[in-house]
């Protein structure tokens, strides 16, 4: 039952690789976006907020198709990127991009809530001591918001790990290149006798997702206890 084939191991490790790259690449953009939504006022903020969270409500296939139009070999930016040696369509890097886009809203939501809960009096105190806004953000705001940043990364990682619709639309289902756990499970369900392989990978996906959710709950619990200790 738990004798994984080489192809299954490849799908597992590829999924982890893609999810990690997607999360790490999204992190600085998610922090900046979350902070902007939490603290800044600017024209079109509501529209920008809706655009950021659009992947949560759109069908994943639509997101994948948009990525194909934009970054495919014949897409809007595809030829230019290919001239730089960057090919995303039908590559694992494209799968990482699709997973990053799908997980980005979850990262931003968790981080935004954390930034909104940071006591601004501490930031003002830092400013009165001569610290610049950038330095205050680096040494006061971001450390206090770290639990939310960590939770956002965990949720983004879990979402990236389970992504299917946008990924298979943008980069297809190529064994060893773009076939993630979700795509491999789909492949197994389409062939006779593939139920056992699908079940093995399903259990792996459930265990990883459950571990990620438990980790996010532990981080949030630690953050709540730390805040309570200062009250």
């Amino acid at each position: 039952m738990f004798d994984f084939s080489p192809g299954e191991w490849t799908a597992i490790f590829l999924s982890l690789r893609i999810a990690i790259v997607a999360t790490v690449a999204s992190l600085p953009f998610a922090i900046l976006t979350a902070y902007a939504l939490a603290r800044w006022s600017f024209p079109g903020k509501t529209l920008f907020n809706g655009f950021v969270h659009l992947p949560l409500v759109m069908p994943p296939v639509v997101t994948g198709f948009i990525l194909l139009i934009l970054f495919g070999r014949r897409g809007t930016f595809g030829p230019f990127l290919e001239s730089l040696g960057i090919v995303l369509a039908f590559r694992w890097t494209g799968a990482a991009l699709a997973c990053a886009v799908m997980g980005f809203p979850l990262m931003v939501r968790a981080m935004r809530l954390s930034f909104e809960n940071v006591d601004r009096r501490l930031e003002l105190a830092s400013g009165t001591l001569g610290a610049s806004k950038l330095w205050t953000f680096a040494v006061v705001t971001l450390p206090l918001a770290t639990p939310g940043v960590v939770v956002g990364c965990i949720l983004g990682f879990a979402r990236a790990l389970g992504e299917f619709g946008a990924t298979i639309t943008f980069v297809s289902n190529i064994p060893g290149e773009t076939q993630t756990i979700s795509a491999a499970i789909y492949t197994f369900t389409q062939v006779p006798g593939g139920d056992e392989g699908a079940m093995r990978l399903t259990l792996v996906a459930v265990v990883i997702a459950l571990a990620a959710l438990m980790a996010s709950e532990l981080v949030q619990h630690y953050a709540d206890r730390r805040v309570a200790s200062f009250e």
Side-chain angles (χ1 to χ4, degrees):
M1 174 64 180
F2 296 100
D3 186 16
F4 294 96
S5 68
E8 292 167 8
W9 280 118
T10 299
I12 293 171
F13 289 126
L14 182 61
S15 294
L16 293 172
R17 179 187 185 187
I18 289 172
I20 291 172
V21 170
T23 303
V24 172
S26 299
L27 180 58
F29 301 102
I31 291 175
L32 177 60
T33 302
Y35 185 79
L37 291 174
R39 295 298 179 83
W40 297 348
S41 295
F42 51 89
K45 181 178 179 179
T46 301
L47 181 61
F48 177 68
N49 182 58
F51 180 78
V52 168
H53 292 87
L54 199 58
L56 285 179
V57 295
M58 279 197 316
V61 174
V62 175
T63 302
F65 182 65
I66 292 174
L67 290 175
L68 191 61
I69 293 175
L70 294 176
F71 301 105
R73 288 182 179 271
R74 298 182 180 179
T76 305
F77 305 108
F80 172 72
L81 292 175
E82 190 170 0
S83 69
L84 299 176
I86 302 174
V87 179
L88 296 174
F90 308 109
R91 296 288 190 273
W92 75 269
T93 49
L97 174 61
C99 290
V101 170
M102 297 302 297
F104 190 76
L106 294 177
M107 297 177 68
V108 170
R109 287 177 70 86
M111 295 177 190
R112 178 182 180 179
L113 290 174
S114 192
F115 282 126
E116 289 175 343
N117 289 330
V118 172
D119 191 342
R120 295 197 178 189
R121 291 174 298 180
L122 299 175
E123 297 173 321
L124 293 175
S126 176
T128 59
L129 294 175
S132 65
K133 291 185 178 180
L134 182 60
W135 185 251
T136 297
F137 174 81
V139 301
V140 178
T141 309
L142 187 58
L144 291 175
T146 295
V149 173
V150 174
V151 170
C153 288
I154 293 173
L155 294 177
F157 172 83
R159 181 66 183 87
L161 197 67
E163 172 51 34
F164 175 73
T167 303
I168 201 169
T169 304
F170 183 39
V171 297
S172 190
N173 182 12
I174 306 171
E177 180 66 35
T178 65
Q179 188 178 79
T180 60
I181 292 177
S182 299
I185 292 173
Y186 173 79
T187 299
F188 275 124
T189 62
Q190 303 303 305
V191 298
D195 292 347
E196 188 172 337
M199 181 59 68
R200 284 195 296 266
L201 292 179
T202 297
L203 291 175
V204 171
V206 169
V207 169
I208 295 176
L210 184 60
L213 290 175
M214 290 178 63
S216 67
E217 287 295 325
L218 289 174
V219 172
Q220 188 61 53
H221 180 67
Y222 168 76
D224 292 340
R225 289 182 59 185
R226 191 177 70 166
V227 171
S229 66
F230 290 109
E231 295 179 349

